[in-house]
Amino acid sequence: MILKTGCSILLLTAVSTVWARVPEVKVLIGKSLAEVNVLGTDLKKTLHYNKSSQQFAGRKMIKFKCQAANLKRPELLASVSSPTGFISWDDSKFQGELELVKNPKTPNCDLINKVPMDSYIASLLSKEMNATWPIEALKAQAVAARTYAYQRINTDGFYHLESSEKDQVSGTFLDVTQRTLQASKDTQGEILMGPTGKITPAFFHSKCGGKTYRPDQVWGGMEDGYQQVECPFCHKTGMKPWKHELGKAKLTDMFDRVLSKYYSDKISNRRDIKLLKDSADRTELRFYSGTKLHVVKKSYLRNLFGRELLPSNNYVLDVKGGHIEFAGHGYGHGVGMCQLGALELAKRGYTYKDILAHYFPQHQLKKIY
Ligand SMILES: [Zn+2]
């Protein structure tokens, strides 16, 4: 294993924010990097593989060349911190520390940002919502995102969350605005708990298009306290009702792929496919291949065939002559809080507690730190 470091001087503005007793979140911000250059003031570099530490006075750039092909498992190689609380990487400024971990699949490193929870939330609000939205909508989003992150803190591994749509998209310190900071501070330590007192991930999405879904209706797993709720609030904004047509022959291939991927099954009679009547309140499609009845989740078609064809799971599939038609509403998976619905409720004067109570009616708001 070779881990080389070097130094050069660049500028960094030192700013400091104090957070008391706030848990830290480890966020994966860079994947499989051959080289990592970090910049900061009075940086402390720790190389974990040989247990050595070094402190650099003034503003410095530390360069890491990551070639650790002999390590097959992830391992913490190095960490960098600054007494200012800020470090820059890839022209972006991050609060907290940066950690380099061996990527298990390549000779390269993953980069992880260890950041105070509420600082993480303040940067995320600009990415997952919009910093200019009403403060009560931002506060509802802050609680939902904090709940999602907090639930992941106790998981094993070198990081808790990815900064991607797989988890939540968090920004950098440059995405923190006075309003997102306010929304994070005003809800500090607040999370949602399910009716049995369990912390469950509080999911959210862009636009439900009329109603939300429970996790089991979309992904299959049951989460504590989720309920499907009506949302007549989001229809005026965001993506308009959408419609897509495909040749009828495509349907057989689509069903065949869904059956083999999610149900370990296949179509027994490709020439004799009959779709049973679908409707907006159904989350599953039913069809016969020959005499065999199949039932598949609508969301699995979206997973396999993409968001361009199926922007949401809220759609109706119909066979019309020689083609099939997907007609739907909304954008996103549809589970939990509808962000455009939250926007409309905030505009109407609802507080963040009212908004959360609408989308998570069985959950309780708890302040845990
Ligand atoms: Zn909605």
Side-chain angles (χ1 to χ4, degrees), residues 205-212 230-235 337-342 359:
H205 57 276
S206 178
K207 173 174 177 164
C208 73
K211 60 179 185 256
T212 67
E230 296 293 318
C231 175
F233 311 113
C234 61
H235 66 278
M337 186 177 78
C338 167
Q339 291 171 314
L340 288 173
Y359 292 106

Side-chain angles (χ1 to χ4, degrees), residues 27-146:
V27 187
L28 179 65
I29 56 170
K31 272 189 204 174
S32 189
L33 307 164
E35 196 172 294
V36 177
N37 300 330
V38 300
L39 170 70
T41 300
D42 298 338
L43 291 177
K44 184 185 176 191
K45 175 189 77 180
T46 302
L47 300 177
H48 296 277
Y49 67 92
N50 67 6
K51 294 189 175 68
S52 69
S53 282
Q54 202 176 350
Q55 188 98 37
F56 301 92
R59 295 178 186 120
K60 302 279 184 193
M61 178 180 274
I62 303 179
K63 296 183 175 185
F64 294 92
K65 277 204 164 70
C66 194
Q67 297 164 12
N70 58 331
L71 289 177
K72 299 292 176 224
R73 287 184 306 178
E75 190 173 305
L76 179 61
L77 302 175
S79 49
V80 185
S81 62
S82 162
T84 65
F86 293 97
I87 304 177
S88 294
W89 167 69
D90 197 25
D91 294 329
S92 295
K93 192 168 165 185
F94 294 88
Q95 240 181 311
E97 293 182 19
L98 295 180
E99 292 185 338
L100 276 85
V101 170
K102 165 70 177 66
N103 181 296
K105 290 178 188 153
T106 71
N108 300 333
C109 291
D110 290 340
L111 189 64
I112 289 151
N113 179 208
K114 202 159 84 174
V115 59
M117 172 70 88
D118 291 273
S119 175
Y120 165 75
I121 297 297
S123 75
L124 172 145
L125 292 177
S126 293
K127 294 286 185 186
E128 283 289 359
M129 219 175 217
N130 184 321
T132 63
W133 282 14
I135 195 78
E136 295 301 316
L138 291 175
K139 283 158 71 174
Q141 179 67 63
V143 173
R146 187 181 295 106

Side-chain angles (χ1 to χ4, degrees), residues 245-259 267 270 272-276 278 285-289 296 301 305 309-310 315-326:
E245 289 180 2
L246 290 174
K248 199 175 164 187
K250 278 268 180 203
L251 191 61
T252 309
D253 291 336
M254 290 175 98
F255 282 156
D256 215 9
R257 283 183 59 191
V258 168
L259 284 176
I267 285 175
R270 293 180 66 87
D272 188 14
I273 303 294
K274 190 176 174 237
L275 179 72
L276 298 186
D278 184 24
L285 298 165
R286 301 161 303 150
F287 63 94
Y288 280 99
S289 67
V296 300
L301 266 75
F305 302 104
L309 178 67
L310 300 171
Y315 65 86
V316 174
L317 173 59
D318 203 0
V319 179
K320 294 189 168 179
H323 64 269
I324 54 169
E325 180 187 274
F326 293 96

